[in-house]
Amino acid sequence: MTHGKIRGRSVTVPALARVEGEGGLEVVVRDGQVTDARLDIYEPPRFFEALLRGRQYTEPPDITARICGICPIAYQMSSCQAIEDACGIGVPEPIAALRRLIYCGEWIESHTLHIYLLHAPDFLGYESGLHMAEERPELLQRGLRLKKAGNRLMEVIGGRSVHPVNVRVGGFYRAPARSELRALTGQLEQARQDALETVRWVATFPFPDFDRDYTFVSLRHPAEYPITRGRIVSSQGLDITPGEYDQHFTESQVPHSTALHSQLDGGTYLVGPMARYSLNYDRLSGPAADAARDAGLGPTCTNPFRSIIVRAVEVLYACDEALRLIGDYQPPDPPFIEVPPREATGFGCTEAPRGLLYNRYQISADGAIADAKIVPPTSQNQRIIEADLRAFVSDRLELPHERLTWECEQAVRSYDPCISCAAHFLDLRVQRT
């Protein structure tokens, strides 16, 4: 690990690592008080919303999948939902169930990547997942088994695990046979056991005492843990449809970020596993709820460092849910329904591994996309990350330089910000007088 120099009164992280993308961090201290904390996102903007304008309404599932190689399903499902909403179409339940199943695969592989390779090394004192594997190879082997199970599920349904090609507006180009999915049962049962062991393992980590008073936001469904559908709710009483999103959530540009900052009715809020879990604990499967309780979690979680436990619980839930869906699976016939275009605006929200993902599409009568809006989870979480860092660093300015560096790394990675993949460590400069 490399570290910066001690200068003046600021904490500077020029390049975040073991997160996805290009960003930095600066915390300013004056007269012993933290006066500012910034998550500097300097990765060049990618202009996906502008790129979609003028394209045909059938194209977003393939285009938006390229936004993220780790969670392409989230973008495909949210775009399909918004386009189908604009066209006044609801897919039959067998198609909806198959969408939920492929999304389970993404939850498994994405959460597992974060737990084993990006975040767990912080708690155990390893520089990276590879260093951890040198001394504890069985840990990485378990993590790779889990991730492979999620990837395989996405591959069988989606045609491939990265940027799947089988998803389309109205459903799928091809529905897998029952035998193809049931062939995954053994691998998923092993994954369920690996997920349970993961929950027990991460529950033993040393967690800083850092509980916060969050406004949680997630989807909520009357009968299921939210993945592909539901109303948007908050811990402060918000309860709206995706079509009402723009009436409550606003975005603004700040000088230090190429990603827009989001607010809920003028306030800061949190999306992601902790919000989803805290607003939907009663929707977990029995084994997942039992594992959460045994790991020391209550019906809510307000310590971002303990979010690694919540992610492990969600991996266990996704394994349970995938096995249930495969057991009940009847191939949709046909695998898609026709979705004729019409002039309208549609809205879609799903729960990406990192939290609520909002899509809005305006479509013309000939099927051309007139306007598109995509609000990813990390954009929504930027403000709360900055607020939490301000509070976290305030009580730790007297820590030795190396320890402060380590804990700042942990703090950022607790939120699993998705910018794009990076392969180096934080370089922290602490400026003191």
Side-chain angles (χ1 to χ4, degrees):
M1 180 184 300
T2 58
H3 301 295
K5 298 177 180 179
I6 298 177
R7 302 177 185 169
R9 296 181 180 178
S10 70
V11 177
T12 303
V13 180
L16 300 171
R18 273 195 275 140
V19 299
E20 294 177 82
E22 300 174 4
L25 164 69
E26 184 170 7
V27 181
V28 178
V29 182
R30 291 193 176 94
D31 299 324
Q33 300 292 321
V34 176
T35 60
D36 193 20
R38 296 197 305 270
L39 182 63
D40 297 324
I41 294 181
Y42 48 76
E43 182 166 333
R46 299 168 70 194
F47 305 114
F48 268 90
E49 291 159 315
L51 186 151
L52 286 162
R53 294 180 199 138
R55 311 290 296 200
Q56 276 296 299
Y57 75 113
T58 54
E59 295 184 77
D62 291 319
I63 294 173
T64 61
R66 269 67 181 178
I67 293 175
C68 183
I70 293 176
C71 48
I73 296 298
Y75 288 95
Q76 291 185 320
M77 295 298 107
S78 295
S79 64
C80 284
Q81 189 183 107
I83 293 164
E84 290 157 7
D85 180 58
C87 297
I89 296 295
V91 298
E93 193 58 31
I95 292 175
L98 192 56
R99 285 177 167 178
R100 185 173 177 86
L101 181 57
I102 192 173
Y103 220 140
C104 285
E106 181 160 281
W107 273 29
I108 294 168
E109 62 87 11
S110 178
H111 277 340
T112 299
L113 171 66
H114 172 80
I115 292 168
Y116 279 88
L117 292 178
L118 304 184
H119 206 191
D122 287 336
F123 294 100
L124 302 178
Y126 292 106
E127 189 171 347
S128 70
L130 294 178
H131 289 85
M132 183 177 73
E134 289 178 359
E135 295 185 19
R136 301 288 304 277
E138 75 282 0
L139 296 178
L140 187 59
Q141 289 167 2
R142 183 172 66 201
L144 292 176
R145 275 200 311 270
L146 258 176
K147 190 175 188 307
K148 186 176 181 179
N151 285 342
R152 181 59 182 155
L153 184 55
M154 294 169 66
E155 182 181 358
V156 169
I157 301 173
R160 62 189 187 193
S161 60
V162 179
H163 306 148
V165 294
N166 192 32
V167 175
R168 57 165 291 168
V169 173
F172 297 85
Y173 291 101
R174 173 187 177 273
R178 294 181 69 187
S179 59
E180 292 178 272
L181 291 180
R182 289 189 173 182
L184 303 177
T185 300
Q187 189 175 19
L188 285 169
E189 287 175 343
Q190 176 63 57
R192 179 166 58 182
Q193 183 58 40
D194 287 334
L196 180 58
E197 292 175 5
T198 301
V199 177
R200 293 168 177 166
W201 171 55
V202 298
T204 67
F205 290 175
F207 297 106
D209 183 12
F210 188 66
D211 285 282
R212 301 283 287 160
D213 184 15
Y214 290 113
T215 295
F216 289 126
V217 173
S218 81
L219 293 181
R220 181 165 172 85
H221 187 272
E224 59 193 27
Y225 198 76
I227 300 178
T228 56
R229 55 193 177 184
R231 293 176 64 86
I232 303 170
V233 302
S234 82
S235 54
Q236 302 301 313
L238 183 75
D239 187 351
I240 61 174
T241 66
E244 298 171 283
Y245 180 95
D246 291 320
Q247 299 173 29
H248 296 270
F249 295 84
T250 56
E251 291 184 294
S252 60
Q253 185 74 60
V254 297
H256 58 272
S257 177
T258 55
L260 299 176
H261 277 213
S262 185
Q263 291 180 281
L264 166 59
D265 294 328
T268 302
Y269 64 100
L270 178 75
V271 300
M274 282 205 310
R276 203 160 45 221
Y277 172 91
S278 297
L279 294 171
N280 296 279
Y281 174 81
D282 58 336
R283 298 290 187 262
L284 286 172
S285 62
D290 290 344
R293 186 167 49 251
D294 292 344
L297 293 179
T300 62
C301 178
T302 57
N303 183 335
F305 291 89
R306 293 170 66 85
S307 65
I308 193 170
I309 306 178
V310 178
R311 285 185 173 87
V313 169
E314 288 196 334
V315 173
L316 178 58
Y317 173 81
C319 291
D320 281 339
E321 185 69 351
L323 286 164
R324 182 190 71 81
L325 289 166
I326 289 174
D328 295 342
Y329 178 65
Q330 295 293 334
D333 186 17
F336 65 89
I337 60 171
E338 296 291 344
V339 182
R342 69 175 185 178
E343 186 174 357
T345 299
F347 311 88
C349 280
T350 70
E351 284 285 344
R354 291 165 183 82
L356 188 73
L357 172 61
Y358 172 71
N359 276 221
R360 184 192 71 206
Y361 284 89
Q362 182 182 345
I363 299 171
S364 61
D366 63 357
I369 296 171
D371 188 50
K373 180 178 181 178
I374 300 171
V375 186
T378 296
S379 177
Q380 299 179 71
N381 278 343
Q382 286 178 100
R383 286 175 60 88
I384 197 64
I385 292 173
E386 292 180 344
D388 283 358
L389 284 169
R390 187 179 297 112
F392 182 75
V393 174
S394 291
D395 295 332
R396 290 164 173 81
L397 287 173
E398 299 308 315
L399 286 176
H401 177 70
E402 185 170 345
R403 187 65 202 175
L404 183 59
T405 302
W406 192 267
E407 292 196 9
C408 284
E409 291 173 352
Q410 283 185 280
V412 173
R413 280 189 283 270
S414 293
Y415 308 88
D416 194 17
C418 184
I419 309 168
S420 64
C421 290
H424 54 276
F425 273 71
L426 302 185
D427 185 351
L428 178 69
R429 291 191 294 272
V430 182
Q431 299 184 359
R432 307 179 193 269
T433 58

